Amino acid sequence: MSDEEPIRSFEFPRRWPGLPWQRRRIEEQMEELSASGLDTPMNRREFLDASKKMGLSVAATAWLYPAFLAACGRTAEQQTPYSGGRFDVGGESGGETINIGVISIYSGVGAFVGKLVDHGAVLAVDQINKHGLPTGKKTPEGFPDFDAYQKQTTGGILGGKRINLIKRDDNLSAQVAVSALQEMVTRYRIKGLIFAGLYDDIYACKKLAQQYNIPCIAAYGDLYSVDQLYPKTDYKQLFQMFPPDVWGIEIMLEEYATKDRGYKTFGYLGDNTAVGAQGKRLIGETLAKLGLHLSSAEQYNVGDVDMTAQLSRAAGGKPNVQLIWGIAGDTAHALESLQRLDANYKDHETALHGPGWHPQIIGFEGGAAERTFAVLAGEAARTGTMSYWYQGGIGYIPQFQKAVDIFKQHFGTKPTGGENNPADAVFLFAHAFEQAKGTDADKVIAALENTSNEGGINFSSIAPHTFSADRHISLEKDDMVGITLERGAAAPTNPAYDIGTEFKQFFSPGYVGPTQFMRFNQEGLMRKHKDLYGEIMLKNGYGTQCTKVPDSRAPYGFKLTNACKIH
């Protein structure tokens, strides 16, 4: 049994009717039940749209759709209420259980998102119900003492109450998310909500969250960059723990691309969603502050596999930097299109002066900061591709491997990345309930706002999350880190550089993927995270450190210069 209430669902019939009106009626019935809160499979139109976003070809989509219908749903006969899981507390909110809602994507082609969320949030619930909250004991390096925590035998919070997850599928529909929240509040009396599905879910649920005064944490989603986070709006119930694009873009363009690399011309290729529109606006505004502008601005439809036409037009202006703003699969297709044009990035000098057009790539954090894009693009993904993330989301240092070990013991595999935010969202709520001495919403919100005074809360991130009454985002600009791609070994260049210690200690031989670029935001990171970024990572060779030059006046006896021809 598990610690969460399973998702009620409805599925299509195993035999699909032959007449169009019969098929339409079944899809209408599905949409009606979906709006009522049931977990329903997607209809063909929704499946095609989602498949396109995932980068599947038309032929592959047509072949997969019947198998998808046969496999994705549970039956309508399974709609009866479920118990709450291993502690036999039931789904209804009772005296011994505190329900936390989770809205994510649990079915169909997007189910991997829900799995990612579950790996983080379910593990956190299991740990809290078994060991309670950490006592605050730290290791000598200042990290949570996981050995001491695992020895705690008093589980739960508030004198033994158990945390229970009420999970609901948004079915790629913000309206379904609204229906799900309505059910969670009225039937299960949730005391907190974690948003980990569609970006639009957060906006669509605002009215209900305010009406019922439900504390909410956006584990994924960036409202800060569009000025939709409290106190700039009245959405006081919402807290964000995801790094804002605006900070990453500002540092990447102002500090790195123009000042460090000396680039002057920039081309833009973005998708046709809010991700692309927001990226284009933020990039344009940042360049304007520098007296620069985009030499080209091209768009593609999510799921396009050939962007040669757009990039051919961009090539006319020969931008030093090609910005690619889209998800990992689309980023891979863009890089493959560049390869067809013989325009892959080579090095800094060639990006600046040629011969030919070989721009350095800077990408969206949801694309170029994920390993998926490099796996999909293969050789088209070149060392020196740049993006950004945040310091707390870097998990390969040895001082934090106890958390990785707990994950491996629970799921039998290493975390893939991204699980830390849902896990810490659960711990933030549990801590707030404890501090509030109950689940009164106003007191819980006040407790979350007080975490900055306590030094922050973290269980599965290497740096704590903190909120305050006038800052509902748990990060600061000094948390932002650069991300670069390395391909298992340092690229041959002069002066030479070494790949980070993590490639020797934690990654398998030949590992291709993103790692921290240590020259990015160095002043900010030393200012806020000297013990972590400086004493542990810089000092011990973690991340891509180029170009290292001996300097007795600098911390640790060296400094990082921009002499590197790759990064």
Side-chain angles (χ1 to χ4, degrees), residues 367-387:
E370 294 189 5
R371 185 173 185 238
T372 305
F373 95 92
V375 174
L376 294 174
E379 291 299 320
R382 298 300 174 91
T383 301
T385 299
M386 291 290 179
S387 190

Side-chain angles (χ1 to χ4, degrees), residues 278-299:
Q278 179 172 309
K280 180 182 175 182
R281 177 177 65 82
L282 294 173
I283 290 166
E285 291 173 353
T286 301
L287 289 176
K289 289 188 296 184
L290 299 170
L292 302 171
H293 65 277
L294 290 170
S295 63
S296 63
E298 297 288 341
Q299 186 181 81

Side-chain angles (χ1 to χ4, degrees), residues 304-529:
D304 283 354
V305 297
D306 188 355
M307 305 172 198
T308 309
Q310 294 96 318
L311 291 168
S312 294
R313 290 191 292 270
K318 291 189 176 180
N320 307 139
V321 173
Q322 182 63 50
L323 297 133
I324 299 175
W325 235 249
I327 59 176
D330 292 345
T331 300
H333 293 316
L335 295 176
E336 290 170 339
S337 296
L338 278 171
Q339 184 164 265
R340 285 191 288 272
L341 294 171
D342 189 26
N344 294 102
Y345 176 61
K346 292 184 176 181
D347 56 35
H348 173 235
E349 185 67 22
T350 307
L352 269 176
H353 304 298
W357 180 52
H358 301 279
Q360 187 168 4
I361 304 301
I362 295 177
F364 170 59
E365 61 182 317
E370 294 189 5
R371 185 173 185 238
T372 305
F373 95 92
V375 174
L376 294 174
E379 291 299 320
R382 298 300 174 91
T383 301
T385 299
M386 291 290 179
S387 190
Y388 52 89
W389 193 234
Y390 73 108
Q391 187 67 78
I394 306 297
Y396 49 63
I397 60 174
Q399 291 82 353
F400 215 72
Q401 290 310 296
K402 291 289 185 180
V404 176
D405 292 342
I406 293 170
F407 187 96
K408 288 171 63 177
Q409 291 167 11
H410 196 92
F411 296 108
T413 185
K414 290 182 179 180
T416 59
E419 297 92 341
N420 57 303
N421 273 20
D424 278 347
V426 171
F427 268 86
L428 279 161
F429 271 133
H431 177 82
F433 296 147
E434 193 75 48
Q435 294 300 305
K437 295 180 170 52
T439 57
D440 177 82
D442 289 333
K443 292 180 179 179
V444 171
I445 291 171
L448 287 170
E449 292 178 333
N450 192 51
T451 51
S452 61
N453 295 326
E454 301 175 282
I457 304 299
N458 66 308
F459 177 77
S460 61
S461 300
I462 66 174
H465 293 277
T466 65
F467 301 108
S468 66
D470 60 355
R471 186 174 56 82
H472 277 209
I473 183 166
S474 66
L475 304 172
E476 298 173 346
K477 200 169 183 178
D478 285 351
D479 288 294
M480 301 301 291
V481 301
I483 298 294
T484 190
L485 178 69
E486 298 290 353
R487 302 192 60 85
T493 186
N494 185 21
Y497 71 98
D498 293 323
I499 55 174
T501 303
E502 65 274 12
F503 280 84
K504 306 176 184 69
Q505 289 190 346
F506 304 114
F507 299 154
S508 58
Y511 174 87
V512 176
T515 195
Q516 186 166 342
F517 175 58
M518 301 298 284
R519 203 164 75 241
F520 181 96
N521 198 24
Q522 192 169 357
E523 289 185 9
L525 289 165
M526 284 293 286
R527 186 164 48 237
K528 182 172 182 179
H529 296 290

Side-chain angles (χ1 to χ4, degrees), residues 232-248:
K232 291 191 175 182
T233 71
D234 62 350
Y235 206 166
K236 188 174 183 179
Q237 293 78 10
L238 183 69
F239 297 80
Q240 177 177 325
M241 54 190 305
F242 197 72
D245 283 333
V246 64
W247 292 344

